[in-house]
Amino acid sequence: FSAAHRARRVRRPGDQGAAAGERVGRDRALRCRSVRCPASSRQACTMRPIGIFGGTFDPIHYGHLRTAFELWQALQLEEVRFLPTGDPPHRDTPLAEASQRLAMVRAAVAGQPAFVVDDRETRRKGLSYSFDTLAELRSENPGRSLCLLLGMDAFLGLPAWHRWREL
């Protein structure tokens, strides 16, 4: 690399997350992009993706918040939606009730305007499946990219999820 190229890549100690336009992940291949829209729809062309971060959040902790923040920055997401699960089919019964976990998530994300709490799964009767939630979100946001944010534990368990190949 030339000196000019290295100078552009220098990060300062106070920098957080990935540099603008930088890819993240071990293979540096993870990237979410805005939807390409017809020129006739100027507003739609400027829409940034929405990050979808579901989980039991029993309890929510710094690792969840830091991951969400890093991905919000690196992927230039419009927002990160936290979706506490109501009745998780793939885990033991949570220690805290859904309403308590929802309150914990709301308290944890307060003060970060890019973090939004979505309570649809805690209101849903029966088991909470990501497939159903993503289908609802897709119908509500037809022209916007949705980025499913997963922790490593969820990623490794993905083949056990309901309709996981269709996600």
Side-chain angles (χ1 to χ4, degrees):
F1 293 115
S2 69
H5 179 77
R6 282 193 302 275
R8 285 192 302 265
R9 292 179 49 99
V10 171
R11 307 279 310 279
R12 292 182 292 282
D15 289 349
Q16 294 181 348
E22 183 177 326
R23 295 177 182 183
V24 297
R26 211 167 114 190
D27 64 356
R28 323 258 318 142
L30 178 64
R31 181 179 292 273
C32 234
R33 295 191 178 139
S34 296
V35 174
R36 290 184 183 248
C37 306
S40 61
S41 177
R42 177 177 280 191
Q43 181 184 4
C45 289
T46 62
M47 292 191 308
R48 295 184 301 173
I50 297 173
I52 308 300
F53 195 12
T56 308
F57 301 121
D58 189 31
I60 191 167
H61 53 73
Y62 181 74
H64 295 126
L65 299 171
R66 189 64 195 184
T67 298
F69 184 78
E70 293 282 342
L71 290 171
W72 169 68
Q73 281 190 326
L75 302 177
Q76 299 177 2
L77 301 171
E78 181 72 28
E79 64 186 35
V80 174
R81 287 196 191 179
F82 286 78
L83 288 113
T85 188
D87 186 5
H90 58 286
R91 299 205 177 212
D92 293 335
T93 302
L95 297 175
E97 293 181 22
S99 61
Q100 294 170 317
R101 293 183 284 111
L102 180 62
M104 285 190 281
V105 172
R106 283 189 172 134
V109 305
Q112 173 48 273
F115 290 176
V116 176
V117 180
D118 187 322
D119 68 349
R120 76 181 68 217
E121 288 196 3
T122 61
R123 289 183 284 113
R124 184 177 293 145
K125 302 293 184 214
L127 297 176
S128 296
Y129 292 113
S130 295
F131 177 85
D132 298 333
T133 301
L134 290 170
E136 288 176 10
L137 289 166
R138 170 56 47 225
S139 68
E140 294 168 14
N141 300 279
R144 189 182 297 253
S145 291
L146 302 177
C147 296
L148 181 61
L149 310 179
L150 300 174
M152 186 56 76
D153 59 337
F155 177 74
L156 293 174
L158 197 57
W161 287 19
H162 174 69
R163 299 175 75 174
W164 73 279
R165 290 184 191 269
E166 298 173 59
L167 294 176

